[in-house]
Amino acid sequence: MASYLSAANAVQARNGQLALPIHTSEGGAMIPVSLGANNDCHADDIDHGVTRATYERGFSPYEFNGGTTLAISGPDYAVVAADTRLSSGYEILSRNVTKLHALTDKCVLGSAGCKTDVDQLRSVLDIKMKIYAHNHRKPMSTPSVAQMLGNTLYYKRFFPYYAFNVLAGVDSEGKGAVYSYDAIGSFERTPFSASGSGQSFLIPLMDNVIAHKNRLDEKRDLPSEEVVEIVKDAFVTAGERDIYTGDAVEIMVITKDGLTTETFKLKAD
Amino acid sequence: MGDSAYSFSLTTFSRTGKLLQIEYALNAVANGRTSLGICAKDGVVIATDKKLSSTLVDTDQVCKVEKITSGSGFVYSGVGPDYRVLVRKARKSSQAYYRQYAEDKPVSQLVKTTAGVMQEYTQSGGVRPFGVSLLVAGVEGDGTPRLYQVDPSGAYFGWKATAIGKNYVNAKNFLEKRYQDDMELEDAIHTALLTLREGFEGEMTNTNIEVGVVSKSDGKFRLLTPEQVQDYLDEAN
């Protein structure tokens, strides 16, 4: 602080305690102070802004449980993958929780975000799909699931599901289909999609390897086995730099003949 | 709805277990102009008698065969204005379906929803049943052609061929004799016109009937133009 006056202006109240902001940290870290005699401040008093974030004066219904999902479509298959780490703040809650959910045997939903919202969204979708199957005597086609998911998310436009979804499957012609969503139901069919904490590490890599951007060699159709290897490398990459991604990645390959699953271990740090 | 002065149903059971309002609605249908439908192996045809009360009526403005989704259509016998309400509701529900599922509403679902509406009006407060029976023609997602009848009670039936309205008994007998399981759409259209002519009062022309056709090849429901109807009539002569 340049002067006692500016220091006095910078003092804020945090959780019933006076504190000064540390301007170098990202998350609004604070050093607690007491304007009085006993001013002993310890290193473990420092709030890094992660465990006690700035909105927590009230109650927040949302929490980010971490994780990354990725889906890639091919001419007759779709690959969808998600890591299996569940976190809360700086803590890992589980190293083995799935983010993938098969809605039909031709369609899989991968969701990262707030786990309770994801679970509830899945429940709602499962119910709608059962009712459809009862009425129509056949399972829902992937483009219809995509539309229904978009509408379901928009129903909660003013108290959204904190779920970042990626839908992968084969359409009625057997071609691979991937749909990307935002939290309030805006969606689009895309060649690939990544969402969650590691999306920024995956998307540029996919742009180069799958969409073949900024490359001089000829683009070719990739077989599903090669795409699975690319997905493994991609998650290793994301896991290196994203603290919320790691432990293992679950990879599903969807074709008109059904679903196969593989689990690939990642670094546990 | 509970507070309203009309919170009781107007359709109630008689001692013998009948719902007389529905019986009377069926009478209204039986007094309506004849409609019929035939389900061929590669399509469906529905047709109706559009004969009107006076030669001064502009028949172009009268629409009895109506498209509901791109692959399905309705025709009716009975009270015209009641029919229009059902057509509007069916079209709206088909659009809502498209918004939910990005797919055309299948005929079977359309029939279930419409039949559900008609049943509601036999049990809700302050309303009477619809005075129409509908014939619904369409091709399902997997290409199967379908013909359904929906009655004022909300009961629905799938038919290979059927007729409703005035003279339906004779028309159905005629159809029973002529119907074959492997009939083609072209033959079905011929047979439909012949059946219609059987009970027709006066001369049947291309302006006093309406014909709707949906073919398995493109799955699209369309109304035959007067020129097309005339071609079929010429062949039938």
Side-chain angles (χ1 to χ4, degrees):
Chain A
M1 304 304 140
S3 75
Y4 180 72
L5 207 61
S6 66
N9 286 345
V11 167
Q12 298 170 37
R14 277 275 172 277
N15 297 331
Q17 156 105 24
L18 293 173
L20 284 168
I22 302 174
H23 291 291
T24 50
S25 84
E26 302 139 85
M30 303 282 193
I31 296 181
V33 293
S34 55
L35 297 175
N38 298 343
N39 204 0
D40 40 336
C41 167
H42 305 280
D44 52 356
D45 288 346
I46 297 174
D47 164 16
H48 290 272
V50 172
T51 48
R52 280 181 290 168
T54 48
Y55 54 72
E56 215 134 83
R57 182 149 281 280
F59 162 73
S60 167
Y62 294 120
E63 193 199 6
F64 183 57
N65 294 123
T68 309
T69 56
L70 171 64
I72 299 167
S73 66
D76 59 350
Y77 62 85
V79 175
V80 61
D83 72 322
T84 60
R85 175 177 287 177
L86 186 76
S87 19
S88 172
Y90 279 151
E91 290 154 35
I92 295 179
L93 297 172
S94 170
R95 297 190 189 276
N96 190 17
V97 168
T98 179
K99 291 187 183 61
L100 300 177
H101 181 68
L103 290 170
T104 69
D105 59 359
K106 296 209 167 60
C107 179
V108 173
L109 175 66
S111 328
C114 173
K115 180 135 199 321
T116 182
D117 275 2
V118 164
D119 286 346
Q120 187 67 10
L121 176 63
R122 279 182 196 163
S123 216
V124 167
L125 290 175
D126 276 345
I127 289 169
K128 288 187 174 191
M129 300 198 57
K130 274 205 185 106
I131 293 174
Y132 183 101
H134 280 141
N135 285 335
H136 291 68
R137 301 188 191 182
K138 69 173 173 82
M140 216 186 280
S141 69
T142 304
S144 294
V145 177
Q147 182 77 16
M148 191 191 68
L149 172 56
N151 283 343
T152 308
L153 291 168
Y154 196 84
Y155 260 58
K156 296 242 305 148
R157 170 68 175 79
F158 299 112
F159 184 6
Y161 288 109
Y162 191 126
F164 300 109
N165 299 297
V166 125
L167 188 75
V170 285
D171 65 15
S172 1
E173 294 160 28
K175 281 199 243 156
V178 163
Y179 295 85
S180 327
Y181 291 80
D182 73 357
I184 46 175
S186 166
F187 75 99
E188 193 187 14
R189 186 167 176 175
T190 48
F192 69 86
S193 172
S195 66
S197 54
Q199 72 182 57
S200 319
F201 304 112
L202 296 178
I203 291 175
L205 181 60
M206 295 300 116
D207 276 339
N208 179 274
V209 174
I210 304 289
H212 222 263
K213 296 234 170 90
N214 302 311
R215 288 175 80 122
L216 297 171
D217 57 333
E218 224 185 284
K219 182 169 189 202
R220 59 186 175 88
D221 269 342
L222 299 164
S224 66
E225 295 79 16
E226 217 177 307
V227 170
V228 168
E229 292 307 306
I230 292 170
V231 165
K232 289 177 183 168
D233 283 339
F235 271 85
V236 166
T237 307
E240 274 299 322
R241 291 289 183 165
D242 177 24
I243 56 172
Y244 299 108
T245 303
D247 292 323
V249 53
E250 206 184 344
I251 307 174
M252 284 193 184
V253 180
I254 310 154
T255 60
K256 62 172 172 48
D257 303 317
L259 231 52
T260 55
T261 316
E262 190 186 332
T263 307
F264 178 68
K265 277 188 149 7
L266 297 171
K267 285 205 293 183
D269 69 352
Chain B
M1 195 73 172
D3 287 354
S4 155
Y6 284 102
S7 61
F8 55 89
S9 174
L10 303 176
T11 307
T12 48
F13 283 108
S14 75
R15 225 169 266 265
T16 56
K18 287 193 194 186
L19 290 165
L20 287 169
Q21 279 299 296
I22 296 179
E23 305 276 322
Y24 300 156
L26 286 163
N27 288 346
V29 170
N31 289 335
R33 307 225 68 90
T34 317
S35 300
L36 51 86
I38 303 180
C39 190
K41 71 168 199 274
D42 58 340
V44 195
V45 55
I46 48 177
T48 184
D49 165 1
K50 200 162 70 163
K51 200 153 176 303
L52 294 149
S53 50
S54 151
T55 48
L56 292 174
V57 177
D58 185 356
T59 48
D60 289 343
Q61 298 297 308
V62 178
C63 282
K64 295 184 70 178
V65 176
E66 296 271 38
K67 186 197 296 208
I68 307 297
T69 69
S70 67
S72 56
F74 282 5
V75 76
Y76 77 101
S77 285
V79 179
D82 285 7
Y83 173 66
R84 286 201 304 266
V85 170
L86 288 170
V87 166
R88 174 181 266 118
K89 281 184 194 265
R91 284 174 173 161
K92 197 169 178 191
S93 98
S94 301
Q95 290 309 307
Y97 184 96
Y98 188 83
R99 233 186 108 275
Q100 267 284 310
Y101 298 111
E103 245 178 23
D104 277 345
K105 188 165 189 171
V107 202
S108 52
Q109 298 303 304
L110 180 62
V111 165
K112 281 184 196 173
T113 318
T114 308
V117 168
M118 291 168 85
Q119 191 281 339
E120 254 179 64
Y121 279 64
T122 67
Q123 236 181 341
S124 298
V127 296
R128 59 162 177 80
F130 287 94
V132 297
S133 275
L134 299 173
L135 289 179
V136 183
V139 171
E140 289 279 11
D142 62 359
T144 326
R146 294 251 181 253
L147 173 68
Y148 292 95
Q149 175 181 341
V150 192
D151 275 350
S153 59
Y156 60 90
F157 320 93
W159 288 98
K160 298 179 186 178
T162 187
I164 50 176
K166 263 194 195 24
N167 201 41
Y168 77 97
V169 179
N170 290 336
K172 276 178 97 160
N173 285 335
F174 192 88
L175 284 170
E176 240 175 272
K177 291 200 197 86
R178 302 245 164 168
Y179 183 80
Q180 269 136 13
D181 278 316
D182 56 355
M183 216 169 182
E184 295 207 347
L185 186 55
E186 288 298 301
D187 298 327
I189 300 175
H190 273 288
T191 310
L193 291 173
L194 287 172
T195 317
L196 212 47
R197 194 159 61 183
E198 276 296 297
F200 210 89
E201 296 150 20
E203 202 202 329
M204 191 165 92
T205 69
N206 62 350
T207 46
N208 58 19
I209 59 168
E210 246 181 85
V211 184
V213 168
V214 53
S215 156
K216 185 177 167 165
S217 57
D218 63 355
K220 299 258 171 285
F221 182 84
R222 51 176 63 89
L223 263 147
L224 293 186
T225 64
E227 293 76 38
Q228 288 169 314
V229 175
Q230 190 57 48
D231 287 338
Y232 284 108
L233 284 174
D234 292 338
E235 273 182 64
N237 287 337

